[in-house]
Amino acid sequence: MRWTYKKSVTMGAVFFLLAIIYFSLPLDLRNTWVEEWQLRTFSSGASWVDKGGYLPLNVSYQLLAGNTPPTEQKYLTIGMCSVSRPKGSYLISTLSSIFSRSSPAELNSMLVVVLLADFDAQWRATTLGQITANFPSQLKADQLLVVHVPKQYYPPITGLKRNFNDNDDRVMFRSKQNVDYSFLTQFCTGRSQLYLQLEDDVSCSHHFLSAIRRRVQQMEVPWATLEFSALGYIGKLYHSEHLPLLSRFLFLFYQEMPCDFLLSHFRVLLTQNEVIRFTPSLFQHTGSYSSFLGTFNKLKDNDYEDLYTNPAADVYSDIPVYMDHVAAMAWSPGTGTFFWGRSPSPGNHLTVTFKQPVVVTAITVVTGSAEGRDRLASATVELGLHPVTEKTGSGTTCQEFYSVGDLQGGRMDMTDVHKKRFGHASSCLRISVTAKQNDWVIIKKIRITTKEE
């Protein structure tokens, strides 16, 4: 076998990188690393990458809240970093979304780790107080840990290279963020089978963990990163055994580029060339102001859809239906299901009759295509009492209906419905057309929440 010049240069670069990593460690850690590497390399057939726990960063963590990390491995660890925001924090609402939208079984399968990554001690104390006041049961049940890394363990975050022509403030912010994520992922190593990265200003879909579990079970090819959001560093899923690699990767290249750029490279280095992203997205960005200088941030994931279950009901419409896009498809959760009818006239309707009466607390109606076509231009939403059979025999309806409100721009988003004279149990929901339109109509989604939820 010929030893070419290119091979020599490549091998030299690899050994040079390993030497830098090795000599950056304290002497005691060097000896420990060598001993552990030799043990893992020669004592079994499993590779050192598969076994994990290599290339440890020289960092010490302060456990601020929560019990000593449990020895029992969870299914999913959710990690997020939080720093002071000039225009208000979203951390408590994000944690509330995670816990309130998970079942007891799902909560027992997850661990949430929050790294308070701000160097302001007063902010950390205030934020820690808010967390302990709002989530005492989760802290006690080993479902939530809060940690901090002192400033002394951070590499330089000022005077760095200005890649991408970013100004100094931006370079400092994104570089420190990379180190925050590096320390977070190292702390989370081995605590679960899978690791999910979130930001501290998101809303979660109901039962997101179960949705993730189903997607993982359906995977038939090896993967490095699965994406459950189209935005930034939100909803990115990793194997726990890859976290030491990810942690060291973010640390080594912390000043080169933003974290979402680095993560794309990391995926490719683990031989996953294509993005694997699932829709609908399970996480939505809710923050209006960035943690960087408090700048306005209007980013929203257009593919986000909260997973939900409407009450059992019969659904029908007298609007002429197109192909198999029947009325019930507007009531059934899921991507790609919708009612599609021909040009409606005044008096046409779509009626939902509940199997059991329910107290409706919120109503969402969305009409029209993604491009904004085929919206229902003029219609009112009503709740009804006393179910009866339609005279035509086409379905069941109600004897009495009360108007809740009109569609605006082809949609309705109304909360606290039960506090607006509709506190009694309803048996029907009806969307009644109030003006003729030449365009066809798509009713993309009808969702209600009830008092029992």
Side-chain angles (χ1 to χ4, degrees):
M1 181 184 297
R2 292 184 299 172
W3 188 262
T4 65
Y5 174 76
K6 183 176 180 181
K7 289 180 180 178
S8 299
V9 172
T10 302
M11 291 301 297
V14 171
F15 283 117
F16 180 70
L17 178 60
L18 291 174
I20 291 176
I21 297 172
Y22 177 74
F23 287 106
S24 68
L25 299 171
L27 182 59
D28 57 339
L29 281 181
R30 289 186 221 163
N31 295 334
T32 301
W33 181 30
V34 170
E35 291 171 2
E36 290 185 356
W37 179 81
Q38 290 174 336
L39 178 64
R40 292 176 181 183
T41 303
F42 301 112
S43 63
S44 72
S47 75
W48 63 294
V49 173
D50 292 332
K51 300 201 74 171
Y54 46 88
L55 299 178
L57 295 173
N58 182 25
V59 57
S60 179
Y61 298 85
Q62 296 178 353
L63 180 61
L64 303 181
N67 300 324
T68 302
T71 55
E72 181 182 356
Q73 190 182 59
K74 303 272 189 172
Y75 178 75
L76 181 70
T77 296
I78 301 170
M80 68 183 76
C81 299
S82 189
V83 296
S84 175
R85 292 174 179 263
K87 297 188 178 181
S89 172
Y90 306 95
L91 176 60
I92 299 303
S93 63
T94 297
L95 290 173
S96 296
S97 181
I98 292 173
F99 294 129
S100 66
R101 298 188 173 186
S102 301
S103 68
E106 290 168 335
L107 290 174
N108 289 332
S109 298
M110 75 170 70
L111 171 66
V112 180
V113 177
V114 179
L115 175 65
L116 297 185
D118 203 288
F119 299 141
D120 183 339
Q122 181 58 51
W123 176 86
R124 292 200 307 274
T126 300
T127 304
L128 182 61
Q130 294 171 345
I131 294 173
T132 55
N134 282 276
F135 308 105
S137 60
Q138 288 83 3
L139 289 166
K140 185 178 180 180
D142 296 330
Q143 295 167 0
L144 176 62
L145 289 174
V146 186
V147 297
H148 172 66
V149 175
K151 187 176 182 180
Q152 68 198 63
Y153 292 99
Y154 279 73
I157 56 175
T158 59
L160 305 177
K161 295 186 297 182
R162 291 183 55 191
N163 294 344
F164 308 104
N165 202 32
D166 285 343
N167 59 40
D168 289 335
D169 286 343
R170 177 64 184 171
V171 171
M172 180 176 70
F173 173 82
R174 62 173 171 79
S175 298
K176 178 184 176 297
Q177 188 177 54
N178 285 334
V179 180
D180 294 340
Y181 289 141
S182 172
F183 291 162
L184 174 65
T185 51
Q186 174 168 280
F187 181 83
C188 294
T189 299
R191 302 184 187 279
S192 59
Q193 298 177 40
L194 301 172
Y195 173 80
L196 179 73
Q197 179 66 50
L198 292 183
E199 294 182 3
D200 67 345
D201 57 348
V202 302
S203 176
C204 307
S205 176
H206 282 82
H207 306 298
F208 64 88
L209 185 145
S210 296
I212 289 173
R213 191 193 294 267
R214 286 194 297 270
R215 292 297 194 179
V216 171
Q217 292 172 344
Q218 292 167 1
M219 290 299 298
E220 297 180 350
V221 296
W223 58 272
T225 307
L226 301 182
E227 303 189 10
F228 294 90
S229 171
L231 302 179
Y233 203 8
I234 298 173
K236 305 303 184 280
L237 188 74
Y238 300 91
H239 296 286
S240 185
E241 61 262 31
H242 290 161
L243 294 186
L245 272 181
L246 177 60
S247 174
R248 177 58 72 172
F249 181 76
L250 290 168
F251 190 86
L252 284 175
F253 300 102
Y254 78 99
Q255 64 173 308
E256 302 298 336
M257 60 186 69
C259 61
D260 45 343
F261 290 11
L262 285 174
L263 294 168
S264 296
H265 289 292
F266 181 76
R267 165 179 55 77
V268 173
L269 287 170
L270 293 186
T271 69
Q272 180 188 320
N273 293 318
E274 302 297 329
V275 172
I276 304 176
R277 184 166 72 85
F278 298 104
T279 56
S281 298
L282 300 180
F283 308 97
Q284 179 63 282
H285 180 258
T286 57
S288 299
Y289 295 94
S290 170
S291 53
F292 175 60
L293 301 180
T295 53
F296 181 70
N297 187 346
K298 63 179 180 180
L299 283 176
K300 296 295 179 185
D301 190 335
N302 293 329
D303 291 327
Y304 172 76
E305 181 175 306
D306 190 8
L307 302 179
Y308 62 91
T309 302
N310 279 326
D314 295 321
V315 186
Y316 72 101
S317 176
D318 63 353
I319 301 173
V321 64
Y322 174 67
M323 297 184 67
D324 58 350
H325 296 281
V326 296
M329 298 183 74
W331 187 247
S332 302
T335 303
T337 61
F338 54 89
F339 167 70
W340 197 359
R342 294 179 172 84
S343 305
S345 300
N348 282 153
H349 61 88
L350 183 149
T351 298
V352 179
T353 306
F354 308 128
K355 298 290 188 180
Q356 297 293 332
V358 294
V359 178
V360 178
T361 59
I363 300 173
T364 297
V365 178
V366 181
T367 73
S369 67
E371 296 78 20
R373 296 191 295 269
D374 292 347
R375 289 178 178 172
L376 185 51
S378 182
T380 187
V381 178
E382 304 163 307
L383 292 176
L385 304 174
H386 313 307
V388 295
T389 302
E390 274 272 6
K391 293 179 180 180
T392 61
S394 58
T396 55
T397 184
C398 280
Q399 288 182 341
E400 303 175 53
F401 281 94
Y402 303 90
S403 175
V404 176
D406 297 332
L407 298 187
Q408 302 293 330
R411 68 178 295 149
M412 168 181 280
D413 290 290
M414 181 174 288
T415 58
D416 295 330
V417 174
H418 58 304
K419 298 179 181 179
K420 302 170 182 175
R421 65 178 276 227
F422 304 106
H424 46 70
S426 300
S427 294
C428 298
L429 180 146
R430 185 169 69 184
I431 301 174
S432 295
V433 179
T434 54
K436 180 175 176 58
Q437 68 179 56
N438 294 324
D439 292 334
W440 288 18
V441 60
I442 290 175
I443 301 180
K444 186 176 181 181
K445 177 173 68 173
I446 305 169
R447 182 200 173 177
I448 68 168
T449 59
T450 67
K451 199 170 184 179
E452 289 71 20
E453 294 181 334

